[in-house]
Structure formats: structure tokens, C-alpha cells
Amino acid sequence: VTSDLSSSDIGCTAFYKAMALSKGTLLIVDKSANVFQRIWCDFEVYVNLTSARSLDIVTASVHHKVRRAHLFSGTSLPYESLSDQRRRERDFPITMFMAGM
């Protein structure tokens, strides 16, 4: 780990090497969207957006005391049509993306 922290080439770090082996990333965003203020999380999003890896984002909302999960995914889920994916993602709280900009 110490050698990773002192490396000037991010591509040599264990973190980057693990990301390179993954098929994608699941980003879990809390209501304050603090994840977008963490440099490693931002880097992970950047790597996913500039490569062929999948980026899925999940968050939760509360409306009238009912908690609901929301998933925004890079691809449709198994057995999910494109229209079903659009319907699912239509309810994703766009404010989460705005917090990341």
C-alpha cells in the first residue's frame, strides 16, 4: 500500500489494477451525494465513463415515509426491455447527478 501511495503513475496502483479487472462499478449515493466529493470515487467514475466498463448508480429516496430504491444503469437488466429501463430510470432523482457536477 505504501508503494501505491508513493507511485506517480496511477496505473501502477493496486486500486487501478483492480478496476482494470472489473466489468464495471456500482456507485452507491447517499442523500447528500458526498460520494462526488471523494477524489477516488470521482476517478472511478471517470475511468468508467472513458472506457467500455459499466457504471451503475443506486440511491434511495423517501416520499411520504416510504423509502424507495432507484437504479440508473449503463445497460438494461436481464429480461428488461428498453422501454422498461427508461421507465425505471425516469424516476431516478436527477438532483444526484447535479450534485456531482
Side-chain angles (χ1 to χ4, degrees), residues 5-67:
L5 297 176
S6 64
S7 176
S8 62
D9 182 3
I10 193 87
C12 292
T13 64
F15 179 77
Y16 187 82
K17 290 175 184 176
M19 281 182 18
L21 294 173
S22 74
K23 293 180 182 177
T25 298
L26 174 61
L27 185 66
I28 301 171
V29 183
D30 65 3
K31 66 181 178 181
S32 60
N34 288 333
V35 68
F36 297 114
Q37 295 177 16
R38 297 183 185 125
I39 192 68
W40 281 108
C41 294
D42 291 338
F43 178 69
E44 198 167 358
V45 169
Y46 168 79
V47 168
N48 276 274
L49 292 176
T50 58
S51 69
R53 292 178 188 90
S54 168
L55 175 64
D56 299 329
I57 304 172
V58 67
T59 192
S61 66
V62 179
H63 186 66
H64 298 293
K65 297 184 182 181
V66 176
R67 190 172 189 93

